[in-house]
Structures are given as C-alpha cells and as structure tokens.
Amino acid sequence: MSLSEQEMIQRYFAPLAGPEGLGLIDDVALLPQQAGFDLVVNTDMISEGVHFLDDPPAAIAAKALRVNLSDLAAKGADAFGYVLALGLSEACDERWLADFAGGLAADQQRYGVRLIGGDTNVVDGATTIGVTVFGKLPSGTLVRRHGARPGDIVLVSGTIGDAALGLLVRSGQVSAADPATTDPLVRRYLYPEPQMAMAAVLRRHATASMDISDGLVGDLAKLCAASQIGAEIKIDQVPLSDQARTLAGNDSTLMEPILTGGDDYEILATVAPDSVGSFTAASTESGVTMTPIGRISSVGAMEPTFRDSGGRAVNFRQKAFDHFARRARS
C-alpha cells in the first residue's frame, strides 16, 4: 500500500470521526460526562482465519463493530462511539481499505455510533482488528450476568445456530443444493445482527442478561456460574430458523453445532415469571422476538442441563467455542 499512516487516517477514517474524536488529529478522545448516566465500555478482537475468512471487507468491518455492539445491548446500554485498532496484513491494499471504511460508514449510520479514535499498524501475518465501543445507560441500571434467581424464565432472542451453520457452509463442511437454504445462513455468519432495540427492555425487566457469542450451551453455563444457579432447558423449545431446521432435519448431528457453535449474537436473558408477559410484549413492540426455552433451577448447581423431547439430558463434546482450547489442539 502506497499510503502513509497519516494519509490513511485522514482519507478513510477522519470522515468517520465524531466530535469526541477531535478530528483524529490528537492522540486522545474526549468523552464528556453526563450527569445521571454510567459509561459502559466493551472490547472485542477479531482475527483473520478465526473470526473471518476471505470475506468481503465491508462484512469484516460490520462484524468487528457489531460483535461489540451486541455486548452493550445485552447490558442494557446504548452505544455512541468506538475506538478502532487495525493490524493490517500486507494483503490489505487500498481497495480493501476503502471497502472496509465503507462498511464502517454504513454501520455508523445504521446504529448511530461514530469513530472517536484508534491506531493502525502493519502486521507480519493475519489481519487483526480490535474495537472498543462506548455506551451509556441511566446510573445503576446495568444488567449483570449474576442476577438470575431460581424460578426465573430463560429466554433467547431471534433464532439460534444460523451463523454456526453458515460458517460450516462457508468452509465447505456442510453442503445443500438449495441456495435458499444456505445463503441466509452464510449471511448470518457474515453480518451478525446485534439486538440494540432490546437495551431499554432489558433494563426494565431482565434479572440477568448476556449476548450469545460462543454458543448457547457455553454462554448459558457462564451465566449460571456467575449467578451460582442451575437451569433446565428444553432443546425442542430453542428457536430455529426454517433454514436451520431443514439442515438439521437432514442431518441430526448438526444440532450440536447449532447449540454450541457460536456467532449468534442474540440476547440470552432471565426474567421473573410474573414479568415474562410484559417483557415479551415490550420485546415484540421493539421488533425483537424473545422465546422462553427453560427455567432457572436450584441454587448451587452452577450449570445448565439441556434435555431432549423425551426429557433425557444431552451431553455435548464441546460446550462452547474456546480460542485457547482451539490453540491447544492445533
């Protein structure tokens, strides 16, 4: 790439900057305090070969930003800005950079966020992208993982497993003749949909919440451990898309990656039984479907039990995607 770092910043990223970014001229961002609100911060990193393949640069940009936005939504926070750290491989030319910046610009418009700073570098290896996103919520209203109580209902948003299946299709591990089945799954993998409209609903109703990034089975286990409770989940109540049902109907072994594969970026929440009706009504009004899939059980169990349609407990070979377990096996 013939651009200098400063030329790159001014040509592609300064136009994305909000006022907090000070025009990307200074080495800092300025975040004004707002009385009555807490600041919420989240950081996620995505790496070539792990979180994205030879995907369109605009899709890579969308994933880098949206996986962070999803975490904020699950905490009940409204996002307003982000910091971007780019470690670019030698393969990333100016065309790649222009498409990547275009993807960020489209998502800034879509989600009402703006770039406020960052850093760029050239790496000897795979492209790596780090995003730190900033949000706010009324003071004291953050929805934690550890608030679930026995008797609470466990709910998830949207449909589960589409992105995991999309990755299997994208990498050639699953095939289907009908693009009407596979194309929507691949799109879910490329373009996660953070449930930003749920932030205020979660603040009002949820006892605990997190987003599903590493798989429903593993992420619910994290919530149970944080709350020091167990959960009973009915697998046949987990919402699946028509496309996922088609593939799983042809190959029952795909139910495991559907439940454990990750990249859903849906909301996992617990709600008191007497609040479920108002919670689901408010969710529907916001444009998001929340589906009950089970119930929080006894204190001290600290992990969920998934049961099939016959009531039998189901065991999984690997409960969640784990970067470090993946490295240890390689």
Side-chain angles (χ1 to χ4, degrees), residues 42-44 61-82 107-108 110-114 131-135 192-197 199 211 265 267:
N42 180 75
T43 296
D44 267 311
K63 178 169 285 189
L65 183 55
R66 293 180 189 190
V67 300
N68 284 274
L69 295 175
S70 180
D71 276 312
L72 259 63
K75 299 295 98 183
D78 298 309
F80 65 85
Y82 67 100
D107 266 13
Q108 288 193 184
R110 179 172 184 168
Y111 295 108
V113 296
R114 49 200 177 263
V131 170
T132 300
V133 67
F134 297 85
E193 294 283 351
Q195 302 289 6
M196 305 307 294
D211 79 332
Y265 299 103
I267 299 292

